[in-house]
Every structure is written in C-alpha cells, then in structure tokens.
C-alpha cells in the first residue's frame, strides 16, 4: 500500500490467504471485520490529539527545532565528545537515529574526515554496568574538558540516569570541568518532582523540555532525540517533515488509507489467531537500532496486566528485533520452521539494492578482478545484488512456508524516511492499544521496578520488595 504523502510503502500481500494459505493467512473479510473498531479507535485517538497524547504534534514544533539547532551548532564547535545519559525511551531513539543516519564507524573516523560531517564522537550510556562506565572513562581519557553530557530523564529521577549524572558531575568537579557548560538537562519542565530540573537550575545548565503529554518511548522526535541528531549533523527538518507526512497519512480513518491502522489491525488479528510474536527485521545494518527501539515501543506500550475495561487480562504481543542478512544465519531457521506463532515485518531499503544505472550505494562490486570459477556467480555481482537476493529469498521462503510477513519499503535510510517510520510505528501502537483495550501510554511494570530499586537502595519513602509485597 502506498500513499501520495509518504515515501514509505507497506506491502501486506503476504499476510493474506491467497499468498500463504488458508490455515495461516488472513481473509479480506477478517480484516474488513475490524473496520468499525478501527474507525472508533481513530475517533478516540484524534479526540485526544494534542491533549493528553502529544507524540504526533512533535512533527510540527519547528520553534523547538530551531532552538535545538542553534544549541547543536554551538556544541559542534566546542566539543569532541557528545554523550547522552538516559535509559529506555530516553536513550533508544537516540541510538536508533545515530546508527541509522551516521557513518557505521562514526566514532572511529579521524577528526576532519568528511563522513564525520564535522560532528564530535557520539556516545549513549544507557546502562549502569560498572564495566561499561569504566570502559567509557578509558575512552574519554584526557578529553573530559572537550566532552558535553546530555542528561535525559523525563521524570527527572530515574536511578540509572541520576547515578550517571552524579558520576559525571563529580568527575567534572574533580578535574576542573564546568558542569554548567558541560551538562545539558532534558526533562519535563512541568514536573515539580524532577530532581534533574532542580539540579540543572542550581548548576545553571542549559535545559530542554520533554512535553508532559509525550512518554519516553514516544519522544524520539522531541528534544530527547533531536539534540543528539542535530549535533551529529542530521537534518532535523527532514526528519520532522517525514514525521509530519506520516502524521497526515495516519489521520485517515479507514484501513485502506491509514498505514498505521492497517499494520496494527493485521498484527492484532494474528495475535487473536495464536501468533503473538512480532518480529521486526530490517534488511539494513543501519536499522539495527530501529529494531531495538521498536521492541521497547511495542513491549512497554502493549504488555499489560490490566486492560481499560477489565483487570488481569495479561495481554501484549512479544516483539523481537532481528537484522538481515545477519540473522538469516541465526534466527531465520526458527522463523521458517518453528512454531506458527510469529508475524515478521521485513524492512527493505531500495537504494541498498542494485540501482540499474550502476551508480547507487547498492552497486558496490564484490570483486573487480579474477575469481575462482566456483565463485564467479558472486564475483560478477555487487553487494547490493547479493543483499537483495537474500532479502527476496527470505521473503519467498517465509511465504512458501506459510509464515505471515509484511514488508515496509523505504527508498533509502534518510532522515525523511526515518521520521516516517517513527511516526508509523508510534501511531500503530496507539491503534493497537485501542484494539487490545489497554493504555499504551503508561508503564506500571517499569514504575514498579523503579520503586523497588529505590527501596533496595535506601531512598527515603520507598520500600524494598519482600515476601509481604507479593502479588499485586
Ligand atoms: O518509555 C518510557 O516511558 C520508559 O522507557 C522511560 O523512558 C524510562 O523508564 C526512563 O524514564 P525517564 O525518562 O523518566 O528517566
């Protein structure tokens, strides 16, 4: 399915019975049977737009984008390392954008290399694993004075992120650094209890907002994801243009026009028919981070104990990330021959395939010289040719083994396309929440983990878990 507004296409042919057989495929009637519910979900989502649901409005906040751009320009001129400190929704979008749109070996390129686009080295610390922290310190070495930290926590209190903040502030203080200039705080400005907000005010740090109506995993197009993107030299305007284009697509009320609603409906129907696992498998090494972002978005939004109209429903599809072609030699065996419990979304990037004119990114020759006769079939081809053949092979193999699969087709991995993809999946999760009858915008399980951690660490006002706190 294509739309005039978007560069992204959604090919759902291989979910239908005509392609994968009656037993495992969907019938048109099953899909049409959801039309009314989708129209109802559409009304509900649109009714909350810009009120308590804000992710779709991010595409239009160009004032914020200009502010971020200005700050990013200044940072690009003064730092050698830009480090995001955050976790979950306050980190995964940054990783996805960086991996997708910056050079695959960005931090290893020498300073001044054109492929670095004048950007500093970029890091995201989203773990408090002591070995990671120690390793990070080694990598920064004597460049601490040229390093800027972007601390991102919407709540302003998450233990992992706050401990990283304490660690770097202390490090800066000891080494004669300047916390006011070297720490940037991104948090919810309206949240009284945001400790990050208080610290930033006391230290005099530059701050950026996370809108109150945008949850962590929906915040990649807010200041949360935009600052590191802009510091990396990525065009925020193009990314937001893509998001706005997909927003327009997803404002349609019918399954025929709304890609997100169609995607959500297909996955929901398969869930009901005993296929609760959703695999996102981009055929693009650059989109590995997108798969991780997708998994969090899907899992945290839809994995719920309580529904909106019933308790103890225990629902939620299980998302899995994979990457082509690497995982054809790892998990694809299971996807083709294992239990019939999965729906696979492949992502195809057209410009990684042969262009036809020999001048595209997919046209890298495998070998310009002689080769062994047995390897001539490879030698005469291109990496794009091989990559494309593997993707086509996977798609046919899945189809022939009656495995439902969809393909999201992008012209290239660009800021524009990525903006569309983010918006597509965020909307799809909003529609899914409505179909599964859960609130996709809360995360009570994550919050409980946070509270237990506070309790175990001795934070005032919080209790550690114990035998008397089992159950609800
Ligand atoms: O998506 C979410 O809401 C969560 O994954 C949060 O982003 C994560 O728990 C971090 O929260 P915070 O940004 O408040 O530190």
């Amino acid at each position: 399915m294509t739309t005039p507004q978007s560069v992204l296409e959604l090919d759902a042919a291989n979910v239908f019975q005509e392609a994968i057989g009656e037993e495992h495929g969907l019938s048109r009637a099953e899909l049409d049977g959801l039309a009314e519910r989708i129209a109802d979900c559409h009304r509900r989502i649109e009714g909350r737009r810009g009120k308590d649901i804000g992710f779709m409005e991010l595409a239009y906040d160009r004032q914020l984008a200009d502010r971020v751009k200005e700050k990013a320009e200044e940072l690009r001129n003064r730092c050698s390392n830009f480090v995001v400190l955050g976790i979950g929704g306050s980190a995964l979008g940054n990783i996805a954008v960086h991996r997708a749109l910056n050079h695959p070996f960005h931090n290893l390129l020498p300073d001044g290399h054109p492929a670095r686009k004048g950007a500093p080295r970029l890091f995201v610390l989203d773990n408090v694993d002591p070995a990671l922290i120690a390793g990070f310190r080694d990598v920064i070495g004597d460049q601490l004075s040229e390093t800027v930290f972007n601390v991102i926590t919407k709540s302003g209190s998450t233990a992992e992120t706050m401990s990283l903040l304490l660690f770097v502030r202390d490090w800066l203080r000891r080494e004669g650094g300047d916390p006011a200039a070297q720490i940037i705080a991104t948090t919810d400005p309206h949240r009284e209890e945001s400790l990050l907000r208080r610290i930033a005010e006391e230290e005099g740090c530059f701050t950026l907002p996370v809108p109150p109506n945008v949850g962590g995993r929906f915040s990649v197009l807010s200041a949360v994801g935009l600052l590191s993107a802009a510091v990396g030299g990525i065009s925020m305007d193009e990314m937001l243009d893509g998001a706005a284009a997909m927003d327009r697509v997803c404002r349609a009320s019918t399954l025929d026009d709304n890609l997100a609603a169609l995607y959500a409906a297909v996955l929901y129907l398969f869930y009901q028919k005993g296929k609760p696992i959703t695999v996102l498998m981009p055929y693009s090494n650059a989109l590995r981070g997108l798969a991780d972002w997708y998994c969090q978005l899907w899992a945290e939004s839809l994995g719920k104990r309580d529904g909106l109209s019933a308790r103890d429903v225990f629902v939620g599809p299980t998302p899995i990330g994979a990457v082509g072609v690497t995982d054809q030699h790892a998990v694809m065996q299971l996807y083709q021959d294992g239990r019939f419990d999965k729906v696979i979304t492949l992502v195809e990037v057209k410009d990684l395939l042969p262009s036809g004119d020999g001048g595209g990114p997919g046209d890298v020759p495998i070998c310009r010289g002689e080769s062994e006769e047995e390897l001539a079939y490879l030698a005469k081809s291109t990496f794009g040719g091989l990559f494309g053949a593997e993707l086509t092979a996977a798609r046919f193999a899945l189809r022939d083994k009656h495995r439902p699969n969809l393909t999201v087709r992008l012209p290239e991995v660009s800021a524009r396309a990525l903006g569309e993809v983010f918006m597509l999946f965020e909307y799809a999760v909003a529609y899914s929440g409505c179909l599964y009858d859960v609130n996709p915008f809360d995360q009570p399980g994550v919050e409980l983990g946070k509270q237990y951690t506070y309790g175990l660490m001795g934070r005032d006002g919080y209790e550690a878990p114990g035998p008397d706190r089992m159950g609800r």
Side-chain angles (χ1 to χ4, degrees):
M1 179 173 162
T2 56
T3 66
Q5 298 98 321
S6 64
V7 298
L8 178 157
E9 295 166 27
L10 180 62
D11 179 348
N14 285 349
V15 304
F16 290 109
Q17 290 177 343
E18 294 86 331
I20 58 169
E22 227 169 81
E23 190 180 353
H24 293 290
L26 295 181
S27 69
R28 301 274 163 185
E30 281 173 303
L31 194 59
D32 291 345
L34 270 190
E36 250 177 58
R37 282 188 67 191
I38 286 291
D40 179 49
C41 294
H42 176 77
R43 271 191 299 278
R44 290 199 213 179
I45 294 167
E46 278 298 305
R48 294 168 65 186
R49 181 190 183 88
K51 295 173 189 151
D52 64 327
I53 308 181
F55 71 85
M56 58 283 261
E57 294 292 298
L58 296 173
Y60 304 101
D61 193 349
R62 302 302 165 121
Q63 240 179 334
L64 172 76
D66 287 344
R67 192 161 161 242
V68 168
K69 222 179 288 174
E70 200 182 310
K71 188 66 189 173
E73 234 6 83
E74 183 232 308
L75 293 170
R76 283 164 63 83
N77 289 328
R78 78 170 156 96
C79 71
S80 309
N81 304 295
F82 184 79
V83 188
V84 169
L85 309 178
I87 195 162
S90 292
L92 287 164
N94 299 70
I95 297 170
V97 172
H98 171 50
R99 287 202 74 149
L101 301 175
N102 288 326
H103 189 280
F105 301 102
H106 179 91
N107 287 351
L108 299 180
L109 289 169
D111 281 346
H113 191 289
R116 271 272 289 269
K117 297 176 284 176
R121 293 192 296 175
L122 298 164
F123 301 90
V124 179
L125 290 191
D126 65 347
N127 202 335
V128 289
D129 176 338
L132 177 74
I133 314 297
F136 172 71
R137 219 175 16 194
D138 294 339
V139 163
I140 295 300
D142 59 6
Q143 289 189 345
L144 183 62
S145 61
E146 302 154 40
T147 301
V148 170
F149 300 91
N150 182 195
V151 187
I152 308 178
T153 159
K154 180 177 175 180
S155 62
S157 62
T158 303
E160 294 88 340
T161 308
M162 296 312 280
S163 65
L164 290 168
L165 165 62
L166 293 178
F167 174 79
V168 302
R169 185 180 63 176
D170 186 54
W171 189 12
L172 289 169
R173 283 176 175 167
R174 284 168 195 277
E175 302 283 329
D178 180 359
Q182 291 179 258
I183 295 175
I184 293 168
T186 306
T187 189
D188 182 343
H190 302 284
R191 205 179 274 227
E192 280 302 316
E193 69 275 16
S194 170
L195 293 170
L196 177 59
R197 192 181 83 153
R198 199 177 86 201
I199 292 171
E201 276 166 14
E202 284 165 8
E203 295 283 353
C205 303
F206 182 82
T207 59
L208 285 168
V210 187
N213 61 358
V214 177
R217 55 196 175 277
F218 294 86
S219 68
V220 59
L221 298 168
S222 75
V224 169
L226 291 185
L227 182 63
S228 69
V231 168
I234 292 161
S235 166
M236 281 183 303
D237 289 323
E238 284 174 28
M239 198 148 70
L240 295 178
D241 286 348
M246 186 50 69
D247 174 52
R248 287 191 286 276
V249 172
C250 298
R251 293 189 82 169
S253 61
T254 61
L255 280 170
D256 286 340
D257 303 307
N258 184 328
L259 299 183
L262 175 66
Y263 187 74
V266 165
L267 261 54
Y268 175 72
L269 286 171
F270 280 124
Y271 183 89
Q272 305 292 62
K273 289 163 72 98
K275 300 188 196 307
I277 299 176
T278 169
V279 179
L280 184 74
M281 185 165 183
Y283 272 69
S284 157
N285 200 55
L287 295 179
R288 274 174 189 265
L290 178 75
D292 290 339
W293 173 87
Y294 171 95
C295 287
Q296 191 226 1
L297 180 70
W298 229 251
E300 251 181 52
S301 303
L302 303 174
K304 297 288 154 75
R305 173 177 186 160
D306 290 331
L308 293 172
S309 42
R311 281 166 71 112
D312 288 345
V313 290
F314 300 104
V315 293
T318 301
I320 297 183
V323 70
V325 302
T326 309
D327 282 319
Q328 279 189 215
H329 298 265
V331 287
M332 187 53 101
Q333 168 63 36
L334 174 74
Y335 300 164
Q336 280 184 32
D337 289 340
R339 298 188 61 185
F340 285 89
D341 55 2
K342 300 170 197 69
V343 185
I344 294 145
T345 304
L346 304 166
V347 182
E348 174 184 315
V349 180
K350 285 191 207 160
D351 85 345
L352 296 180
L353 311 178
S355 66
D357 63 14
D363 297 320
V364 178
I366 290 178
C367 173
R368 290 176 200 273
E370 293 295 306
S371 82
E372 289 69 18
E373 209 182 308
E374 301 90 318
L375 293 175
Y377 76 100
L378 291 175
K380 65 175 196 263
S381 184
T382 58
F383 278 105
L386 177 59
F387 203 54
E390 302 232 23
L391 169 57
T392 307
R395 192 183 294 119
F396 277 106
L398 287 168
R399 187 202 63 179
D400 293 349
K401 296 204 168 187
H402 317 289
R403 309 292 166 153
N405 62 94
L406 304 100
T407 300
V408 171
R409 209 162 271 128
L410 308 176
E412 68 213 339
V413 180
S414 61
R416 156 88 198 202
L418 199 62
E420 288 198 20
V421 173
F422 283 139
M423 194 56 87
L424 171 77
F425 288 135
E426 288 175 11
Y427 258 110
V429 158
Y431 275 95
S432 302
C434 179
L435 292 170
Y436 290 90
D437 195 36
V438 296
N439 177 5
F441 304 108
D442 69 1
Q443 53 288 322
V446 180
E447 301 307 330
L448 182 64
K450 285 185 183 181
Q451 284 165 22
Y452 280 2
T453 303
Y454 294 146
L456 288 164
M457 294 295 289
R459 184 176 175 186
D460 275 352
Y462 293 87
E463 277 176 52
D468 51 331
R469 300 191 62 191
M470 300 282 279
R472 254 196 164 343

